[in-house]
Amino acid sequence: MSTIGYDSWAVDLAEVGAVYPFQGSEGLMVVLGVIFWIGWHRIQFVREGAHLDKAKEMGDKEKISALLEKY
């Protein structure tokens, strides 16, 4: 199976251009990668914020304050 249109690799490699699949779609791949990267960071930011908010509500606040005053 060839994604670049060659049935045989018995050709002059000097005339062969890029040999990776999906030639010409590099710009689209970069855009999709950046969108995925920003989306992943947004999801992580929201989930970590929710986790930290939940952690703030845990425990006895008086005991925590008393322990913090020791130091």
Side-chain angles (χ1 to χ4, degrees):
M1 180 179 135
S2 173
T3 58
I4 58 173
Y6 288 106
D7 294 331
S8 172
W9 286 103
V11 296
D12 184 11
L13 292 179
E15 296 176 7
V16 175
V19 293
Y20 50 89
F22 310 113
Q23 300 170 26
S25 60
E26 294 88 356
L28 176 64
M29 287 187 209
V30 168
V31 170
L32 291 175
V34 169
I35 290 171
F36 174 77
W37 177 61
I38 291 172
W40 183 84
H41 280 280
R42 174 72 181 143
I43 290 169
Q44 283 295 109
F45 178 78
V46 169
R47 286 186 178 176
E48 287 179 5
H51 179 75
L52 291 175
D53 286 342
K54 186 178 175 183
K56 284 181 187 176
E57 303 300 323
M58 296 176 69
D60 186 4
K61 293 184 180 185
E62 292 178 9
K63 286 183 180 179
I64 293 171
S65 295
L67 288 172
L68 290 176
E69 287 179 13
K70 288 183 179 179
Y71 301 101

